[in-house]
Amino acid sequence: NAPIKQLYNLGVEIEENSELDLLVAYNAHKDDERIPSVIKDMEEELGEGNKMSGILPKLAQYELTLLDWMEEHKGSRDYVVFANKCWPSFQTEFGFVPCYVNSRLTKIGIPVACEVDIYGALSEYIGTCVSKDAVTLLDINNSVPADMYKESIEGKFPYTHRDTFMGFHCGNTPSCKLTSLTMKYQLIMHRSLEPDKEPDITRGTAEGDIVPGNITFFRLQSTADAKLRAYVAEGEVLPVATRSFGSIGVFAIPEMGRFYRHVLIEKNYPHHGAVAFGHYGKAIFDVLRYLGVSDLAYNQPKSVPYKSENPFER
């Protein structure tokens, strides 16, 4: 979703493959003798949240496919991340949603970014190295409903409605970063791919509210003309029930409204942001600066206007 020239400039080696290549590799693992042991591990992780156990054999087969692919293709490199296709043809051809497997690999330090988001994958890797912990990648373009803000946030936390947003993805967040874990199906894909029937090819999401606590939201990105830019913002996940689906949390970042307008939208960032669980802004900022990023934005306080901000609005 952006020119990859800057990734090569950073020393990242890229191997591009189609989902057809992946499907061939997946089919070759059909009778892999390791599948039962992976299923058992999944069952132990899911516990009572194992609501769709029939999909686990396919998910185990896919997990082994990715792990073997990594070992067979990493060459001289020590570390690997994936930026994989995940919908909609993935469901019709593979027969499941890969979210849960993505979450499991990310949990052990092999980030798997959704929707072929290669800069998102690298951002996750940076967060993994800095925090020495699991990370996630979430949509940043969902607002908190006004009634939820009134009922659960206003007067209880020091944030305006514009400081809050819903961090969401279908089900890619590691289980250790969810308050509870349930194996479900992708609701939106189900409506479009297999309406009026029980979920089948849309099963495979790891769902639950994201654990409350401090977070750092950030992203490294290339512009269309191959210039690096990045943003970093510290905030928190609020202990507020989302009442929604997917891997999701109610996020709060000071002055998020202004930051969203003058950085994320104005500078054409995509809708994915990486999440490190803790306040790691200082370290991530320094890493990005060390990588040569000169256009490095943060959520500026009210007293510091953005370059494009009208000074008479405040």
Side-chain angles (χ1 to χ4, degrees), residues 28 37 186 265:
S37 64
Q186 217 295 336
I265 294 178

PDB file of all heavy atoms in Angstrom, residues 28 37 186 265:
ATOM      1  N   ALA A  28      -0.049 -28.328   0.687  1.00  0.00           N
ATOM      2  CA  ALA A  28       1.015 -29.316   0.883  1.00  0.00           C
ATOM      3  C   ALA A  28       1.138 -29.756   2.342  1.00  0.00           C
ATOM      4  O   ALA A  28       1.777 -30.770   2.637  1.00  0.00           O
ATOM      5  CB  ALA A  28       2.351 -28.750   0.404  1.00  0.00           C
ATOM      6  N   SER A  37      -0.915 -31.615  17.478  1.00  0.00           N
ATOM      7  CA  SER A  37      -0.279 -30.934  18.611  1.00  0.00           C
ATOM      8  C   SER A  37      -0.570 -29.436  18.589  1.00  0.00           C
ATOM      9  O   SER A  37      -0.738 -28.809  19.640  1.00  0.00           O
ATOM     10  CB  SER A  37       1.235 -31.174  18.608  1.00  0.00           C
ATOM     11  OG  SER A  37       1.849 -30.600  17.459  1.00  0.00           O
ATOM     12  N   GLN A 186     -16.056 -13.704  11.309  1.00  0.00           N
ATOM     13  CA  GLN A 186     -16.020 -12.304  10.893  1.00  0.00           C
ATOM     14  C   GLN A 186     -17.415 -11.885  10.433  1.00  0.00           C
ATOM     15  O   GLN A 186     -17.907 -12.325   9.385  1.00  0.00           O
ATOM     16  CB  GLN A 186     -14.998 -12.106   9.774  1.00  0.00           C
ATOM     17  CG  GLN A 186     -14.236 -10.805   9.836  1.00  0.00           C
ATOM     18  CD  GLN A 186     -15.106  -9.565   9.634  1.00  0.00           C
ATOM     19  OE1 GLN A 186     -16.162  -9.630   9.025  1.00  0.00           O
ATOM     20  NE2 GLN A 186     -14.649  -8.441  10.130  1.00  0.00           N
ATOM     21  N   ILE A 265      -4.852  12.492   8.765  1.00  0.00           N
ATOM     22  CA  ILE A 265      -5.569  12.777   7.521  1.00  0.00           C
ATOM     23  C   ILE A 265      -4.744  13.662   6.594  1.00  0.00           C
ATOM     24  O   ILE A 265      -4.570  13.364   5.410  1.00  0.00           O
ATOM     25  CB  ILE A 265      -6.931  13.430   7.816  1.00  0.00           C
ATOM     26  CG1 ILE A 265      -7.846  12.432   8.530  1.00  0.00           C
ATOM     27  CG2 ILE A 265      -7.586  13.931   6.533  1.00  0.00           C
ATOM     28  CD1 ILE A 265      -9.199  12.986   8.904  1.00  0.00           C
TER      29      ILE A 265
END
